[in-house]
Amino acid sequence: MSRARLGAVLMLAALGACRPDQVEHLKESKRIGIETANWEVKRIMPKELLKSARWAGDSLTATADTLLRQTLARELAAGGVARAAAFCRPETYRFVDSLAKVLKATTRRVSSRPRNPANLGQLRPEELSPDTARTVRRESQEVFFYQRPVVLNNSLCLRCHGEVGKDMSKADYALIQKQFPQDQATGYRLGQPMGAWQLSLRRDGVAEFWTMKTRKKWKEHKMPKLF
């Protein structure tokens, strides 16, 4: 008798020896199988980790920008610039912060003309144009750096960052100056880069994102697109 046939006979015999009430059926076996597969140890090459760092950065910052547009539209409609100005910090949104924790990332936005001096950062012109520019590098064995431009591509943003007296009223700008007396973030036009997102991502978060992103269950979900 062949090995395969012998194995089949032994399996049938074992199943036949058990009564139906003695067989414990595994619940949610499909979900458990997927989770088990995600915990499998895989060797991820350095170039794959760099690609994953870009995936993670694009996903996080695109999500933050989408939520910013939605939030500003709602708050401007509800109370104008006086109400909306306090919400122009998408890196502090609860959902963005939760996603950053999943990706094991820290986020900040920087500009050479910031509204808040704490966001001052020196950026080279080639880092901001075109708006699809990316800087992704491995700073150490455990840390990746990601950067992409922040571009004023929504006319709503002109109400706080456009030309005073034209796009935004002097009264509204007075409210902004009261909160940010050193403000430099006005005079922008549509399509102009204002600064950049900068992320620091831990290697273990990047590696886990690569594993999950390359699974079919992740590919089924459409991630936010930047371009």
Side-chain angles (χ1 to χ4, degrees):
M1 182 181 295
S2 68
R3 260 186 212 179
R5 184 173 177 79
L6 177 60
V9 170
L10 290 174
M11 183 178 292
L12 288 172
L15 290 174
C18 297
R19 297 194 309 272
D21 61 337
Q22 293 177 318
V23 178
E24 183 179 352
H25 295 282
L26 185 62
K27 296 180 180 179
E28 300 184 29
S29 58
K30 184 177 180 180
R31 178 184 62 80
I32 293 173
I34 291 174
E35 291 183 356
T36 300
N38 280 338
W39 281 102
E40 291 176 2
V41 176
K42 292 179 175 58
R43 183 176 180 181
I44 306 175
M45 303 302 291
K47 65 178 181 180
E48 294 169 340
L49 285 173
L50 281 172
K51 185 175 182 180
S52 181
R54 172 168 174 146
W55 275 351
D58 283 353
S59 297
L60 178 54
T61 58
T63 298
D65 285 348
T66 298
L67 290 175
L68 175 63
R69 287 193 297 269
Q70 295 172 348
T71 302
L72 290 182
R74 181 189 68 224
E75 299 303 324
L76 282 169
V81 170
R83 181 180 175 114
F87 292 87
C88 195
R89 297 176 60 203
E91 61 272 24
T92 65
Y93 292 175
R94 182 180 300 176
F95 184 82
V96 175
D97 183 62
S98 297
L99 182 56
K101 288 177 179 176
V102 170
L103 299 174
K104 299 184 179 179
T106 57
T107 65
R108 68 188 297 248
R109 292 187 303 165
V110 299
S111 174
S112 57
R113 293 165 51 192
R115 176 145 289 170
N116 185 338
N119 298 101
L120 179 64
Q122 299 303 318
L123 299 166
R124 299 190 302 273
E126 60 268 24
E127 295 178 313
L128 302 178
S129 183
D131 61 2
T132 56
R134 297 289 183 278
T135 300
V136 184
R137 63 176 180 264
R138 192 167 190 167
E139 296 201 308
S140 70
Q141 185 66 21
E142 297 297 324
V143 178
F144 289 83
F145 174 82
Y146 167 96
Q147 177 179 287
R148 79 159 176 84
V150 173
V151 180
L152 196 158
N153 53 17
N154 188 325
S155 59
L156 286 177
C157 297
L158 292 173
R159 292 185 60 179
C160 292
H161 295 284
E163 184 179 337
V164 179
K166 178 182 176 183
D167 303 306
M168 60 187 302
S169 69
K170 293 182 179 180
D172 283 341
Y173 188 53
L175 291 172
I176 292 173
Q177 282 190 304
K178 187 175 181 179
Q179 186 175 359
F180 300 103
Q182 300 180 54
D183 173 57
Q184 302 178 53
T186 59
Y188 285 102
R189 302 181 303 276
L190 276 175
Q192 188 174 1
M194 300 176 62
W197 278 101
Q198 291 184 345
L199 276 60
S200 177
L201 303 111
R202 279 175 38 187
R203 182 193 57 78
D204 51 347
V206 170
E208 185 174 353
F209 187 68
W210 170 269
T211 301
M212 292 189 295
K213 187 75 165 61
T214 53
R215 294 285 175 193
K216 184 178 180 182
K217 66 167 190 168
W218 273 81
K219 288 183 179 179
E220 289 171 353
H221 297 278
K222 291 184 178 180
M223 301 300 287
K225 297 292 185 182
L226 289 171
F227 51 85

